Amino acid sequence: MTPRSPLARLTRRSLIAGTPLLLAAPAILRAPQLFAQYPFRLGVAAGDPTSDGFVIWTRLAPDPLADHAGMPMQPVAVDWQVASDDRFDRVVAHGSAIAHPDLGHSVHVEVAGLASDRPYWYRFTVGRERSIAGRARTLPAAGSRLDRLRFAVAGCQNYEDGLFTAYRHLANDDPAFVFHYGDYIYEGRSSPVPVGYDGRPRRFVRAHVGQQLYDLADYRRRYAQYKLDPDLQAAHAATAWFATFDDHEVENNWVGLVDQENDPPEQFALRRAAAFQAYYENMPMRRAAMPVAGSVQLYRRALVGDLVDLHLLDTRQFRTDQPCGDGFKPACPGVADRNAQVMGVKQEGWLADALHQRAARWQALAQQVMMMPLDRRTGDEPAPIRNMDSWAGYDAPRERVLAMLDGVPGAVVLTGDEHQNFLGELRRDGGRGKSVATEFVSTSISSGGDGADVRKGADRIAAENPFLAWTNDRRGYLLCDVDRQMWRGAFRTVDAVSTPDAPVRTAGTATIAFGDPTPHIA
Ligand code: FE
Ligand code: CA
């Protein structure tokens, strides 16, 4: 997989000083031998598939954790190929892209003109160095008859909390695509957690490199460390992703220009911009998601045949500050603030318009934080407790989106953030009214450590939340198998992330019949 050139052992300096080819072409390095080490160590990825293409991504990083990942501060030409077979006998598209130092030597190629609803393989080369091959499926044509779809939902991958074994299993489940709900990285310095949710000692698996993330170099290096993980690389190489961010790509519980420390907003804006740039550089995103003036167009839509309309939401950039001082608290008056926003006025209007079109049978909201207004009491707390960083802290915006979903048959909400599995109904009027959709809250890939089948306090959670159908506290991902009558969500879990090679199992499979949001778990 790693073709080594005879000159690979030469240093970069000797090559730059001594190669006439480089002197002749000073603007863009096209040297056949540029790297002292393999430059594709962060793997490859594909993203945002449409019916005729997708983005393919890589980032040159011969020394991933070093300054500038070991790259010279010059643009480098990277060749790419897309083939309709895994041996690359039939190359259907190819070209050359420039990896710019401005963008961390990442490459994002938007491939178009491909056939719909079929797999393709892609790879990159620089000189004689070649990446592994990745695989991505184009979507079925928008609006065309589609009888079944399999895709996966994943996120929350704290590197220190555990191994990414679940991603290897996800790759083997062969989903048409992945929706990633965020927390691709965590921004903290190394901070071993000695005790798990269950109160038992927790094995420390591996450590973050570096301090808490603030500047572009910090964020870039953290992505490089995560992307060295072979299971994560396998999941990227296996299928295209629709990536969205949540909080930890920037900082815990940020919203808008408000950070945890209540720093001046213009100051946090600079940190957020660095984080957004590193996110773009490291994700298979379309150019439309390149940060502009410190903001990102993250919310977008993917219409999968006539079966699923996927509305990918942004619940961070346009949100108003968490009420009641954030955290898990009894509700204060701020929870009922009529002016509060989760999506913001513009995104809400965009979503309402898209839902009105009824462009597919199922309408899926793919988003970050739990929508069910869960009472979090796990012990003898006298008053209901809410997570102010979820939709439970935002009554008015939540009731508006539930009103939008009322009357939409086959409405499903796909969520992450909680580091455990939740399944339930979205009911209007604070969880007491009409049921209008089903919410699948997928667990984490690793965040929270090994976990257990049942988390302490789950009895009380079940007793106080009649709209909740099921919970589970293992790590893993959600595998959705959708047909015209049924939406099946398999909660795929591993029993350990502190030890390698844990097998995958299905902790529960939820079934929803089209037109009835009541989930049935087996
Ligand atoms: Fe998380
Ligand atoms: Ca989160």
Side-chain angles (χ1 to χ4, degrees):
M1 282 301 184
T2 311
R4 289 292 174 186
S5 72
L7 293 179
R9 68 197 131 81
L10 294 183
T11 66
R12 208 161 51 237
R13 177 173 295 279
S14 68
L15 283 166
I16 290 167
T19 308
L21 178 66
L22 290 178
L23 299 177
I28 297 168
L29 296 183
R30 296 182 187 281
Q33 293 87 30
L34 181 65
F35 306 109
Q37 296 175 78
Y38 184 56
F40 296 108
R41 294 180 61 193
L42 304 185
V44 299
D48 278 49
T50 60
S51 61
D52 84 332
F54 37 74
V55 186
I56 57 173
W57 171 95
T58 193
R59 182 180 154 207
L60 303 177
D63 193 358
L65 304 183
D67 281 353
H68 306 295
M71 288 295 293
M73 290 294 93
Q74 279 153 295
V76 177
V78 179
D79 296 326
W80 57 271
Q81 288 181 316
V82 175
S84 59
D85 66 298
D86 62 353
R87 294 169 44 180
F88 290 83
D89 287 337
R90 293 182 300 278
V91 172
V92 296
H94 63 94
S96 185
I98 306 300
H100 289 280
D102 320 51
L103 291 171
H105 289 100
S106 61
V107 173
H108 301 72
V109 179
E110 297 194 34
V111 182
L114 304 178
S116 64
D117 198 17
R118 59 147 299 156
Y120 287 94
W121 287 261
Y122 61 92
R123 65 188 179 189
F124 300 90
T125 54
V126 178
R128 290 175 207 163
E129 304 281 11
R130 174 181 286 165
S131 75
I132 61 162
R135 181 178 179 273
R137 270 196 91 85
T138 49
L139 298 183
S144 67
R145 168 88 186 190
L146 182 66
D147 289 325
R148 56 186 51 84
L149 172 70
R150 163 176 283 197
F151 70 97
V153 178
C156 285
Q157 50 203 54
N158 191 322
Y159 185 86
E160 294 210 317
D161 281 4
L163 303 172
F164 296 167
T165 316
Y167 267 134
R168 200 184 330 151
H169 298 302
L170 180 154
N172 291 333
D173 279 339
D174 195 25
F177 56 81
V178 170
F179 160 56
H180 193 278
Y181 50 74
D183 291 0
Y184 190 96
I185 58 165
Y186 283 72
E187 81 285 11
R189 64 181 179 178
S190 183
S191 52
V193 178
V195 179
Y197 293 128
D198 57 0
R200 296 214 309 256
R202 200 163 115 180
R203 204 170 90 90
F204 186 60
V205 181
R206 48 188 184 177
H208 280 152
V209 170
Q211 294 297 308
Q212 183 148 313
L213 312 180
Y214 285 95
D215 68 15
L216 181 56
D218 298 337
Y219 285 104
R220 280 175 172 166
R221 183 163 67 163
R222 186 60 53 87
Y223 281 100
Q225 186 183 16
Y226 278 52
K227 281 175 169 285
L228 284 167
D229 183 278
D231 296 324
L232 176 58
Q233 287 196 13
H236 276 300
T239 190
W241 290 30
F242 288 103
T244 66
F245 53 68
D246 191 27
D247 53 340
H248 288 288
E249 284 86 352
V250 183
E251 186 203 42
N252 182 50
N253 285 13
W254 72 274
V255 291
L257 291 177
V258 182
D259 71 1
Q260 275 198 127
E261 290 78 29
N262 285 310
D263 286 325
E266 64 275 19
Q267 182 179 309
F268 176 61
L270 298 173
R271 182 183 183 190
R272 199 186 81 163
F276 283 176
Q277 180 175 340
Y279 184 77
Y280 173 77
E281 290 173 355
N282 285 282
M283 288 292 149
M285 309 288 278
R286 289 186 182 269
R287 201 174 185 82
M290 186 186 283
V292 175
S295 297
V296 175
Q297 180 60 49
L298 190 73
Y299 67 85
R300 58 206 193 275
R301 181 180 181 191
L303 189 52
V304 188
D306 69 346
L307 191 62
V308 176
D309 202 347
L310 195 65
H311 310 278
L312 299 141
L313 306 185
D314 176 348
T315 56
R316 288 282 164 197
Q317 271 188 106
F318 312 107
R319 206 201 298 187
T320 50
D321 196 10
Q322 292 95 343
C324 322
D326 205 352
F328 283 40
K329 303 260 176 68
C332 68
V335 171
D337 182 358
R338 307 298 304 174
N339 296 317
Q341 295 289 343
V342 172
M343 291 188 277
V345 175
K346 193 171 160 208
Q347 183 178 191
E348 245 182 59
W350 165 87
L351 178 62
D353 288 347
L355 289 170
H356 268 130
Q357 293 172 11
R358 301 282 199 279
R361 196 160 163 84
W362 299 89
Q363 301 290 323
L365 273 53
Q367 55 103 47
Q368 293 78 31
V369 289
M370 194 196 277
M371 201 173 276
M372 288 181 280
L374 206 69
D375 179 350
R376 303 281 172 156
R377 283 180 288 182
T378 55
D380 55 4
E381 303 92 331
I385 306 275
R386 290 187 176 197
N387 175 2
M388 298 303 165
D389 186 50
S390 75
W391 289 82
Y394 298 81
D395 280 352
R398 186 188 66 253
E399 295 303 327
R400 282 199 303 274
V401 77
L402 295 183
M404 270 185 224
L405 295 176
D406 196 347
V408 175
V412 171
V413 176
L414 304 168
T415 305
D417 183 56
E418 293 286 342
H419 307 172
Q420 55 183 315
N421 289 305
F422 287 102
L423 170 70
E425 288 171 42
L426 285 160
R427 296 181 184 165
R428 300 188 64 174
D429 308 320
R432 294 177 302 275
K434 181 185 173 191
S435 183
V436 298
T438 315
E439 183 170 24
F440 291 89
V441 179
S442 182
T443 183
S444 58
I445 288 291
S446 63
S447 302
D450 286 343
D453 286 335
V454 178
R455 189 179 291 193
K456 193 167 162 253
D459 285 359
R460 182 89 204 260
I461 294 272
E464 301 294 346
N465 297 285
F467 48 82
L468 198 61
W470 186 76
T471 64
N472 164 281
D473 185 27
R474 295 286 182 187
R475 307 289 78 81
Y477 55 95
L478 176 70
L479 190 66
C480 295
D481 280 295
V482 186
D483 65 28
R484 302 191 79 81
Q485 295 307 325
M486 294 283 186
W487 185 300
R488 287 180 192 81
F491 293 95
R492 303 280 278 161
T493 60
V494 291
D495 282 350
V497 292
S498 62
T499 52
D501 302 322
V504 70
R505 63 188 174 96
T506 298
T509 302
T511 307
I512 316 160
F514 184 80
D516 177 3
T518 314
H520 302 276
I521 186 89

